[in-house]
Amino acid sequence: MLVAITGGIAEGKSTVLRWLAEWGAYTISLDQIAHALSRPQEALWQAIVAEFGQEYLLPDGELNRKQLGEAIFADHALRRRLNRISHPLILQRMHLEIQNIQRQQPNAVVVVEVPLLIECALYLDFDRIVVVEAGEQFQRARLLASGLDEKDVVKRLAAQLPTCVKRIFADWVVWNREHLEQTREQSWRIWQELQQEIAK
């Protein structure tokens, strides 16, 4: 069983993924894959340097993630260039990790956190889809609390497909607003339903 978790920025995808891992799912995060692949000398790091030169590197060779993040949310063309080089590498690693899990555990529930699941038409690759939604009011508050200023928050929210559109593709929607315990209860019910599906 291959399950995707998606949603917008600061809506709680990683939190739900962590709970599912705690309950027994095999979990993969595309953000974590991207982070690993962009360490010095790794495949994505090399691709970024080949595409942009050393403009987004720190003196020690590490990727300047803050600078690159600010740049891509301010420049649509730059974001497209980064996506063009990063997506194939990230998806290749995702498929490899899925295959490795399924080879060892054919009946495993594999849950993958895929931020751009709908935008990149990756929903076709999954058996079930979970959308985590908080709504723009909560996204904005969480992003501001994380230290971003209002201008950066607006750019990040504008760069993404609204989660209410992603909801159309969902088998389940997890509402993640004020009470985390309610979010956990919703996630637990989904996990139980997945277990029932596998048992059939």
Side-chain angles (χ1 to χ4, degrees), residues 6 8 19 24 30 37-38 40 46 50 63 83 98 105 107 113 121 124 133 136 140 148 151 153 156 163 171 180-181:
T6 195
W19 287 332
L30 294 202
L37 287 175
S38 57
Q46 292 185 24
L63 188 64
N83 287 345
I98 290 170
Q105 299 287 342
N107 296 321
E113 180 186 354
L124 298 169
E133 184 169 358
E136 190 171 316
R140 187 180 299 277
L148 291 176
K151 185 176 67 175
V153 169
R156 279 164 167 73
T163 309
D171 294 288
L180 201 59
E181 192 54 44

Side-chain angles (χ1 to χ4, degrees), residues 30-49 56-58 60-66 68 82 85-86 89-90 93:
L30 294 202
D31 282 345
Q32 288 181 6
I33 288 176
H35 197 279
L37 287 175
S38 57
R39 292 188 184 118
Q41 307 308 322
E42 294 288 344
L44 181 51
W45 183 93
Q46 292 185 24
I48 290 170
V49 171
Y56 298 108
L57 296 185
L58 294 166
D60 63 359
E62 289 280 348
L63 188 64
N64 189 332
R65 299 175 193 279
K66 183 175 186 294
L68 182 59
L82 181 63
I85 63 174
S86 63
L89 295 170
I90 293 167
R93 178 66 63 87

Side-chain angles (χ1 to χ4, degrees), residues 12 20 29-30 54 57 62 74 88 112-113 129 140 143 185 191:
L20 291 169
S29 163
L30 294 202
Q54 299 191 3
L57 296 185
E62 289 280 348
V112 188
E113 180 186 354
I129 295 170
R140 187 180 299 277
L143 289 169
E185 287 171 7
W191 176 245

Side-chain angles (χ1 to χ4, degrees), residues 79-143:
R79 189 163 67 251
R80 283 195 297 271
R81 285 171 66 195
L82 181 63
N83 287 345
R84 189 183 72 248
I85 63 174
S86 63
H87 287 177
L89 295 170
I90 293 167
L91 295 179
Q92 180 184 41
R93 178 66 63 87
M94 176 192 79
H95 288 301
L96 182 63
E97 291 192 13
I98 290 170
Q99 289 166 9
N100 287 341
I101 293 167
Q102 291 179 331
R103 192 179 301 117
Q104 295 174 36
Q105 299 287 342
N107 296 321
V109 176
V110 184
V111 185
V112 188
E113 180 186 354
V114 190
L116 298 180
L117 181 79
I118 311 305
E119 294 89 331
C120 296
L122 296 172
Y123 55 89
L124 298 169
D125 295 343
F126 291 85
D127 301 309
R128 295 288 181 270
I129 295 170
V130 179
V131 171
V132 183
E133 184 169 358
E136 190 171 316
Q137 172 191 346
F138 290 95
Q139 287 177 280
R140 187 180 299 277
R142 290 167 187 168
L143 289 169

Side-chain angles (χ1 to χ4, degrees), residues 163-176:
T163 309
C164 60
V165 177
K166 299 182 181 188
R167 199 192 312 152
I168 298 167
F169 296 83
D171 294 288
W172 296 282
V173 177
V174 174
W175 298 100
N176 180 31

